[in-house]
Amino acid sequence: MKKKVGILSMQRVINYGSYLQAYALKQLLLKHGAESVEFIDIIPGKGLPGYSASGLAYYISRFKAMMKVILAGNAKAKKKTLDYRTRVADMMKKAWGVLGLKDYPMAPQVDLAVIGSDEVFHCCQKTQWGYTPQLYGRIPNAKEVVSYAGSFGATKLEMLKKAGVADEIGENLKCLKSISVRDDNSKFIVEQLTGITPLINIDPVLAYGYKKEIDKATEVDEKNYILVYSYPDRIHDKREVEAIRQFANQKGKKLICVMSRYDWCDRAIIPTPLELLGWFKNADYVITETFHGTIFSIITNRQFATIGRVTAIPKLTSMLRPYGLETRLVAPERSIESIFMEEIDYDKVNSSLSNLQKESEQYLDKILEE
């Protein structure tokens, strides 16, 4: 008898990476024998000390941030940025229909709940759901619970202990039938809290690969461009901006930004999540500062450089290491220009990726066994 599966993830976050990893995991589960796949919405919990921004407090903080954008600096430019963010959110909500998301239904009864991927275990941050034991396995509507490539993100073991939730998380994780994480930090935390050594599996976007969708991706309405993919307003250091602009001018390329609008780029676009893969595929270069922006570059075989933020360096390094691509991270000794002087050998990268995809397939077959 095939299993009815529920995915507990961050599929409603307005973020291309969150969307495409959720879509990929659904496709993988169906491919490996799931009878059906639904999404389970996160049940809001409590705000942890120092990270309390759940519920109404979260939305108030978001409103204040939006007002700050409107009132600060160049009002006209800021309004364009705010309008852009609103249109991205509207587009993403329409795309939820492709995932099969419903209007916050009751938690479905499933044979198997899969927690992941993305930073589902990252509770030491401000989110609208706060800290909820549900994300660590307390899912009463599921007969069995596993995780796939879950991540604690920037949350460290000592942060969980300080917040007073380490023991509870450990007890909940022990009840999972199988535990799979996607990075070294998450593996370490699980080992320390449970005594269990989890598997490390690649992110669903890498595991699924999107080969069919990338092959079908049509030409976009731009040529000779560098794609700039980042979270909103994250590339604002004057030196970073100047380095990007100088490289674009040197190569005679336009700068096209997506997910975040920048005045120093030539154009800001709002593709659907699947259309985004076409923009990566047709880019001459990619400059990103996100985990999934880096992954999109790999699966489309682009020459890329990733500006690694302090909190993201560990997960980026852990993800890039199997492909020998750690040197694609911008650092004081590695400028954007110097990184692009060395081209990526995608024959080797794709060979390594193929092996890791097989490991993921074996794990998915295991958790979906009758």
Side-chain angles (χ1 to χ4, degrees):
M1 181 178 176
K2 291 186 175 183
K3 294 180 179 179
K4 294 181 179 180
V5 181
I7 298 174
L8 176 58
S9 188
M10 299 162 67
Q11 63 274 357
R12 292 189 190 270
V13 174
I14 306 300
N15 179 300
Y16 285 99
S18 296
Y19 181 101
L20 287 169
Q21 67 83 21
Y23 180 95
L25 185 53
K26 179 177 180 177
Q27 301 309 310
L28 286 166
L29 289 165
L30 290 170
K31 174 185 175 183
H32 285 269
E35 177 185 340
S36 61
V37 179
E38 297 183 71
F39 284 92
I40 302 172
D41 284 313
I42 298 174
I43 298 172
K46 63 182 180 181
L48 295 178
Y51 307 101
S52 183
S54 58
L56 181 61
Y58 174 82
Y59 290 103
I60 290 174
S61 67
R62 289 290 299 272
F63 175 76
K64 288 180 178 179
M66 289 172 64
M67 290 306 296
K68 186 177 180 181
V69 167
I70 294 173
L71 297 174
N74 184 321
K76 186 176 180 180
K78 294 296 182 182
K79 186 176 185 306
K80 285 183 179 179
T81 297
L82 187 61
D83 289 344
Y84 176 83
R85 291 183 189 175
T86 301
R87 288 187 291 128
V88 169
D90 290 343
M91 176 279 301
M92 199 69 72
K93 289 173 183 176
K94 290 179 182 177
W96 286 348
V98 178
L99 280 181
L101 299 191
K102 301 173 184 177
D103 292 332
Y104 296 93
M106 295 293 289
Q109 295 281 347
V110 295
D111 300 309
L112 177 71
V114 181
I115 304 172
S117 176
D118 223 325
E119 296 184 353
V120 285
F121 301 146
H122 182 16
C123 59
C124 292
Q125 63 172 327
K126 294 182 178 181
T127 64
Q128 65 262 47
W129 52 82
Y131 167 72
T132 170
Q134 180 202 25
L135 284 170
Y136 303 92
R138 197 178 295 177
I139 308 173
N141 286 17
K143 295 178 183 177
E144 297 176 341
V145 183
V146 301
S147 71
Y148 177 82
S151 176
F152 280 89
T155 291
K156 304 296 183 185
L157 179 60
E158 55 270 24
M159 295 163 71
L160 297 174
K161 291 179 178 179
K162 185 176 181 180
V165 294
D167 291 341
E168 181 179 35
I169 288 174
E171 290 306 309
N172 285 322
L173 289 175
K174 285 179 185 178
C175 296
L176 269 61
K177 184 180 178 182
S178 297
I179 306 177
S180 159
V181 296
R182 76 177 187 193
D183 55 76
D184 296 331
N185 174 59
S186 299
K187 179 184 177 184
F188 173 77
I189 293 175
V190 171
E191 286 177 332
Q192 295 301 306
L193 295 184
T194 68
I196 299 168
T197 299
L199 291 174
I200 291 185
N201 288 118
I202 54 177
D203 184 273
V205 176
L206 286 167
Y208 180 55
Y210 281 96
K211 188 177 187 308
K212 178 178 66 176
E213 291 82 358
I214 292 168
D215 288 344
K216 287 183 178 179
T218 57
E219 293 289 328
V220 297
D221 62 351
E222 287 283 1
K223 291 184 178 180
N224 300 318
Y225 66 91
I226 297 170
L227 192 67
V228 179
Y229 181 90
S230 83
Y231 292 130
D233 302 325
R234 287 279 289 271
I235 304 178
H236 52 73
D237 183 277
K238 291 182 178 179
R239 290 169 297 182
E240 289 178 353
V241 173
E242 188 57 29
I244 294 170
R245 292 181 64 184
Q246 282 185 359
F247 180 74
N249 289 334
Q250 175 189 333
K251 296 295 183 180
K253 307 292 182 184
K254 291 182 180 179
L255 288 169
I256 307 296
C257 56
V258 61
M259 197 162 76
S260 182
R261 178 191 171 277
Y262 294 112
D263 284 338
W264 44 268
C265 285
D266 298 289
R267 180 182 172 189
I269 57 171
I270 307 177
T272 66
L274 292 178
E275 288 171 346
L276 176 69
L277 297 174
W279 282 91
F280 270 85
K281 175 184 177 180
N282 290 288
D284 296 306
Y285 302 94
V286 175
I287 296 173
T288 184
E289 53 86 49
T290 80
F291 182 84
H292 278 110
T294 306
I295 286 178
F296 300 154
S297 302
I298 292 172
I299 64 173
T300 53
N301 287 190
R302 294 301 89 196
Q303 301 299 322
F304 71 91
T306 300
I307 302 170
R309 306 305 176 191
V310 174
T311 56
I313 287 291
K315 67 178 182 180
L316 283 165
T317 303
S318 182
M319 185 270 288
L320 291 169
R321 188 181 301 121
Y323 317 104
L325 294 176
E326 305 99 309
T327 55
R328 306 310 288 191
L329 291 172
V330 178
E333 69 278 11
R334 289 192 300 273
S335 66
I336 289 173
E337 183 179 356
S338 65
I339 287 173
F340 283 126
M341 287 176 67
E342 184 176 346
E343 289 200 358
I344 299 170
D345 182 347
Y346 270 108
D347 286 337
K348 290 183 179 179
V349 170
N350 293 335
S351 176
S352 298
L353 177 56
S354 178
N355 292 331
L356 293 170
Q357 287 172 334
K358 290 174 184 175
E359 291 180 8
S360 291
E361 289 173 0
Q362 290 171 359
Y363 179 74
L364 292 169
D365 285 337
K366 174 187 172 184
I367 64 175
L368 286 167
E369 284 178 354
E370 296 179 13

